Amino acid sequence: MRFHRYRSRLWAATTAVAAACLAVTTLTAPAANAEPADNPAWGKELPQAGAPTSRAYDLIVENNDKGYTPRSGECSKEVHARYWAYGPDGKVYPTWHPPKDPSGCTFGHEHGDDPRQSELFSTVDWPTFGHTSEVQRESSPEHSHRHEDHVGHKVMVVNNDPVREGDDGTSVFPPTDGRVLATCDVLLKFHQGTHSADAFTNNVHELIYNNRCTNSDNGQTTEARYTALIPLGRPGGFGGTDCPGPFLGAGFRQVGTAEPADSPSDTKSLGRLITDASCVQAIREGKTHFEPLTGTYVPFGDTDLHEFWFADVTVSTSQLNFTIAPLFYVLNPSRYFDSSKPDNIGRQVDLCYEVNVQGQYCDQVRRQSGQRIAWDDVRSPFNGGLRQFRPGNFTVRNSGPTTVYTDVYGRNASTQPFEGSIKQYFSGNSSNPLYVRGTTKDWAANPSDRIHAPN
């Protein structure tokens, strides 16, 4: 992937597309009464007394740093806990909620797109945050548990996304003149926390992936409904970004032990690429990189303090081959890795004062008068809201049963359920490899939502 060559072009494209997508989302939002059949009191009432709850739901009602801790003026824990859904196991799980409750209070974080906007919603219903971890908890020893924080669950919706011939994802901008091979609807939920130390060592993150593509030539469809804790790179560490380079994925920094300690490794993709102190040093020294848009060398700046997360997933049997290779890209995380700081966490907003980082984000920070802006201040633009989610390569070829069962990591596929298994669905046969572009937007763009890190 040659994203490092197109940094400024992607930044410009991202901000423009984000504004356009935000406008479209506002205009096409569904009616507020489109609640799910299994929880008509979504957002209005707590679960019934005695209802079995998941660990993910318990985290948001307890006082836990992986749950929800409202600040003064934000929605109460009880209001937040009203947004729930039943999982496949009949337990109560947290699910998507808007950044702002109808009462007017805000939650301080966002979960991406409203899943009700998806053309797949009537089939797949609400995403249940943390279901794979719950299955793991019920079937594995304690050292094999994975509990992700609440704010990192992010939803993406795209409807009728055109897949063009010749697009392999290597260019920042999708081709506009290639033949449309298929149109795809995607509703996915991915856990991507970009404020804590979690992803420095932990490489498995929950993906709920729903995709339906319709072939332009014959109208045939391929469909996948897949849930797993997917590995992104190797456990215990991460790879380097293109700042200072020389290219994406250069080097691997071993940081510690992953959680769970027996997390599987992904060696096919670039994995998690996270900015570290070497990028900060390059900025401090005034180092430059070539910018193809202008044909000149420009200094590293605040748009280079970004993260790329790659994955490569396969489910395979004698009758099934399912593959996806998604990319989750964040342009404004609140953290970077610095081994000299507590918990190895440096805060990007601090660099605007200490290193005089150039760019529109730091310019925005320095224009604020009075008290210095903290990393979790609502005024900080480093809140993890500006993201590009690409479903990426997508292939389904299935000549057997559409229902398959895997373990929580998407492995050991079987046509029969087993202890600790998750039900998956795959149908159809892809006639061509498909590259699904997804979307780019700033989910924290509305100031009235008052979104801030951790987010």
Side-chain angles (χ1 to χ4, degrees):
M1 304 292 285
R2 297 190 295 273
F3 285 95
H4 57 288
R5 295 186 177 182
Y6 303 99
R7 186 181 304 103
S8 296
R9 295 176 66 191
L10 179 56
W11 176 261
T14 297
T15 52
V17 172
C21 288
L22 186 64
V24 171
T25 299
T26 303
L27 292 172
T28 60
N33 63 356
E35 287 93 8
D38 65 345
N39 179 13
W42 173 83
K44 300 175 184 176
E45 297 178 8
L46 296 173
Q48 291 183 350
T53 58
S54 64
R55 179 59 179 153
Y57 188 79
D58 295 341
L59 288 175
I60 69 169
V61 297
E62 297 171 354
N63 292 322
N64 191 292
D65 60 1
K66 291 188 176 184
Y68 172 65
T69 305
R71 298 180 178 180
S72 176
E74 293 183 339
C75 300
S76 68
K77 291 179 75 70
E78 179 181 336
V79 171
H80 187 264
R82 296 172 186 169
Y83 293 91
W84 58 272
Y86 289 116
D89 53 5
K91 294 183 180 181
V92 171
Y93 287 85
T95 189
W96 182 90
H97 62 74
K100 182 185 296 183
D101 186 74
S103 65
C105 67
T106 57
F107 295 108
H109 63 272
E110 47 76 28
H111 293 297
D113 289 327
D114 184 340
R116 293 173 297 180
Q117 296 172 349
S118 173
E119 295 188 6
L120 302 177
F121 181 75
S122 61
T123 299
V124 303
D125 215 322
W126 296 91
T128 48
F129 299 168
H131 174 61
T132 51
S133 295
E134 189 72 11
V135 174
Q136 186 182 53
R137 181 177 179 229
E138 293 292 327
S139 60
S140 304
E142 179 64 34
H143 72 272
S144 292
H145 295 181
R146 173 82 166 116
H147 301 295
E148 298 181 290
D149 64 27
H150 174 74
V151 297
H153 295 288
K154 307 300 185 185
V155 176
M156 186 209 74
V157 171
V158 290
N159 295 319
N160 302 310
D161 197 8
V163 176
R164 295 189 179 274
E165 189 173 32
D167 188 4
D168 59 3
T170 56
S171 65
V172 171
F173 299 101
T176 58
D177 55 355
R179 181 171 67 94
V180 175
L181 300 175
T183 56
C184 298
D185 302 323
V186 182
L187 169 57
L188 68 79
K189 193 286 305 178
F190 180 62
H191 187 277
Q192 186 176 30
T194 57
H195 70 276
S196 72
D198 180 88
F200 293 160
T201 56
N202 299 335
N203 70 318
V204 293
H205 299 263
E206 185 179 59
L207 173 68
I208 302 174
Y209 179 92
N210 304 287
N211 188 352
R212 182 174 61 210
C213 293
T214 303
N215 188 288
S216 298
D217 292 333
N218 55 26
Q220 293 182 353
T221 62
T222 52
E223 189 167 0
R225 300 197 287 272
Y226 170 79
T227 298
L229 284 167
I230 64 169
L232 299 98
R234 293 153 53 188
F238 59 89
T241 69
D242 52 352
C243 178
F247 50 80
L248 285 179
F252 181 82
R253 179 185 289 271
Q254 186 70 40
V255 177
T257 302
E259 178 187 291
D262 55 358
S263 297
S265 184
D266 159 32
T267 58
K268 295 185 294 183
S269 78
L270 293 176
R272 299 162 345 280
L273 311 182
I274 299 175
T275 298
D276 65 13
S278 65
C279 178
V280 176
Q281 184 62 27
I283 293 172
R284 181 181 285 111
E285 295 174 0
K287 290 186 176 180
T288 62
H289 61 87
F290 183 72
E291 175 49 63
L293 188 64
T294 61
T296 61
Y297 282 85
V298 298
F300 287 108
D302 61 11
T303 61
D304 300 296
L305 298 164
H306 47 194
E307 298 187 10
F308 304 83
W309 292 27
F310 295 89
D312 196 313
V313 174
T314 298
V315 178
S316 180
T317 69
S318 61
Q319 297 174 303
L320 169 67
N321 182 50
F322 163 69
T323 62
I324 52 174
L327 163 65
F328 307 99
Y329 174 38
V330 181
L331 282 84
N332 60 340
S334 63
R335 63 148 185 242
Y336 67 93
F337 179 88
D338 189 335
S339 60
S340 70
K341 297 183 180 296
D343 297 324
N344 296 324
I345 300 175
R347 295 301 178 186
Q348 299 200 11
V349 69
D350 293 339
L351 301 177
C352 301
Y353 301 102
E354 299 167 3
V355 189
N356 195 29
V357 180
Q358 299 303 303
Q360 63 182 33
Y361 275 167
C362 278
D363 287 347
Q364 178 181 332
V365 169
R366 288 187 288 260
R367 284 196 297 268
Q368 304 287 336
S369 59
Q371 185 180 9
R372 176 169 169 156
I373 295 176
W375 74 274
D376 56 354
D377 193 302
V378 71
R379 294 173 296 173
S380 173
F382 298 100
N383 55 37
L386 185 53
R387 303 188 294 274
Q388 179 180 99
F389 275 14
R390 288 195 188 185
N393 293 322
F394 170 61
T395 301
V396 172
R397 295 189 177 93
N398 190 9
S399 60
T402 56
T403 297
V404 173
Y405 299 87
T406 72
D407 63 20
V408 295
Y409 296 124
R411 305 174 305 184
N412 300 315
S414 170
T415 57
Q416 299 296 322
F418 54 90
E419 183 182 6
S421 66
I422 293 179
K423 185 178 180 180
Q424 319 283 13
Y425 178 90
F426 308 102
S427 69
N429 288 277
S430 305
S431 57
N432 295 287
L434 303 178
Y435 190 89
V436 186
R437 279 282 171 169
T439 191
T440 305
K441 67 175 76 170
D442 186 351
W443 280 274
N446 186 352
S448 68
D449 290 337
R450 298 189 60 78
I451 292 167
H452 56 81
N455 172 49

